[in-house]
Amino acid sequence: QVQLVESGGGVVQAGGSLRLSCEASGQSLSRSARSWFRQAPGKEREFVAVINWNSRWAYYRDTVRGRFTISRDNAKHTAYLQMNNLKPEDTAVYYCAADTKLFYRDRPSISRDTYDAWGQGIQVTVSS
C-alpha cells in the first residue's frame, strides 16, 4: 500500500514562494499520475495541478497557472509543487495524491475521485 508524505509548507508573505514535496513509499508510482489538491476552511477540496507519468504533460487550475509548477522525480519517488508569487487566497491545506489503478495515462484526470492515494495534508498560509 502506497504512503504519501508532504513537506515544505509554512507561512509566507504575499509575493513569496514555497516548494512542496510529496514523497511516496510502499509502491512505485513511476507509472502513475501525480497531483496536488487544496482545501481552504469552509470550502471543498479543489484541484490544483496534475502531471502525467513521464512529465510530458501537466495541467493547472486557472488561478495558479503561470505561478505554480508541478514536477516529479521518479528516481526519488517524489512529486513537487513550486509555488511562486503566492497570494492570500492560496492559503489552504495542500494534499498530494496519486492514481494507483490506472497507468501510463498521457492526460490524467483532474477529478478528485480519480485519485485513491492521498497524503495527510500540509498547511500553507499566505499573509497579506
Side-chain angles (χ1 to χ4, degrees):
Q1 184 175 358
V2 66
Q3 294 181 333
L4 303 177
V5 178
E6 300 100 337
S7 61
V11 180
V12 64
Q13 288 189 332
S17 298
L18 285 173
R19 187 194 195 202
L20 303 183
S21 298
C22 174
E23 184 173 3
S25 62
Q27 177 180 329
S28 173
L29 295 179
S30 62
R31 304 170 296 172
S32 301
R34 305 288 296 271
S35 60
W36 290 91
F37 289 74
R38 67 186 182 187
Q39 188 167 17
K43 295 186 177 181
E44 291 191 356
R45 193 171 299 187
E46 64 182 18
F47 165 80
V48 176
V50 61
I51 189 167
N52 76 345
W53 66 280
N54 62 6
S55 300
R56 291 181 180 177
W57 184 84
Y59 188 79
Y60 303 87
R61 72 178 300 106
D62 288 346
T63 54
V64 308
R65 188 174 294 118
R67 298 188 297 122
F68 291 11
T69 302
I70 189 171
S71 61
R72 63 190 295 165
D73 184 337
N74 286 341
K76 295 182 178 180
H77 312 292
T78 301
Y80 305 94
L81 186 68
Q82 177 68 44
M83 305 184 293
N84 297 329
N85 190 21
L86 282 160
K87 303 177 180 181
E89 51 263 42
D90 295 318
T91 295
V93 177
Y94 282 70
Y95 298 88
C96 67
D99 177 1
T100 69
K101 302 182 304 294
L102 297 176
F103 304 132
Y104 301 120
R105 298 190 72 182
D106 288 334
R107 295 197 173 194
S109 169
I110 66 171
S111 169
R112 188 175 62 187
D113 294 339
T114 295
Y115 299 91
D116 59 320
W118 291 85
Q120 80 285 356
I122 192 163
Q123 180 70 46
V124 171
T125 302
V126 184
S127 61
S128 57

